[in-house]
Amino acid sequence: YSIWIGKHARSNDEMLSLAHKEDIWLHAKGVSGSHVVIRSHNKIPNKAVIEQVAAFAAYQSKARGSAWVPVIFTPKKYVRKAKDAPPGAVIVQKEEVVVKKVPVTVYAESTPNPSVMKFIANKPLVENSIEFKNIDEKNELIDCRFEQ
């Protein structure tokens, strides 16, 4: 299958106008991002193909850093532009959803201090992070949280 991925709102519109009615259209649900089209050539792609292409749609969206990204898909014939809609905006009917889990990769690095390791991930693992310069700072924060 050929895969088309829009680069911006105007290219999303152009891609939509060029796609065949039986091609499969995908987009991350509820967030802005690239429209993605699977050129089906009148063959229905299997679930594995749709899930792989859904990963492209998830990656090319504002939800890129999320652990779970719902991606809607439907034949292009159920996607249309509304009159006077801004570039990239569409109306979708008869959508299905595939939830794409984005894998987390964590790397461990050694530091000059042999008792300290540094961990790096390809996306945020927690909402907030706190860094301590020493163990006493950590203990003070924990004591304050329990006192409140």
Side-chain angles (χ1 to χ4, degrees):
Y1 298 97
S2 297
I3 309 299
W4 293 350
I5 302 174
K7 290 184 177 183
H8 46 72
R10 289 201 195 318
S11 68
N12 286 340
D13 286 350
E14 184 178 344
M15 200 170 63
L16 189 65
S17 68
L18 295 173
H20 185 269
K21 67 180 184 175
E22 296 301 326
D23 290 344
I24 304 300
W25 176 91
L26 301 94
H27 193 280
K29 185 177 179 97
V31 295
S32 60
S34 295
H35 294 209
V36 179
V37 172
I38 302 171
R39 298 284 292 162
S40 63
H41 305 289
N42 293 320
K43 293 183 274 179
I44 298 172
N46 63 31
K47 182 180 176 183
V49 171
I50 291 172
E51 286 181 353
Q52 182 63 48
V53 176
F56 297 144
Y59 183 78
Q60 295 294 337
S61 76
K62 295 281 184 181
R64 178 184 294 184
S66 301
W68 295 89
V69 181
V71 175
I72 59 174
F73 67 96
T74 190
K76 184 263 180 186
K77 64 185 172 187
Y78 298 120
V79 181
R80 63 182 174 84
K81 288 286 297 177
K83 187 176 182 180
D84 300 324
V90 295
I91 296 171
V92 182
Q93 300 170 323
K94 297 187 181 184
E95 69 189 48
E96 294 183 54
V97 178
V98 60
V99 178
K100 195 63 192 160
K101 184 175 182 180
V102 180
V104 178
T105 306
V106 179
Y107 300 94
E109 291 182 359
S110 59
T111 64
N113 181 345
S115 63
V116 175
M117 294 288 293
K118 180 179 179 181
F119 295 94
I120 301 168
N122 64 336
K123 63 183 178 178
L125 301 176
V126 293
E127 289 182 22
N128 299 322
S129 62
I130 302 171
E131 187 173 325
F132 304 105
K133 292 187 171 70
N134 58 50
I135 195 72
D136 294 330
E137 283 184 10
K138 181 205 68 105
N139 290 338
E140 287 173 17
L141 180 69
I142 291 173
D143 291 341
C144 291
R145 286 189 180 173
F146 286 116
E147 288 174 8
Q148 293 177 349

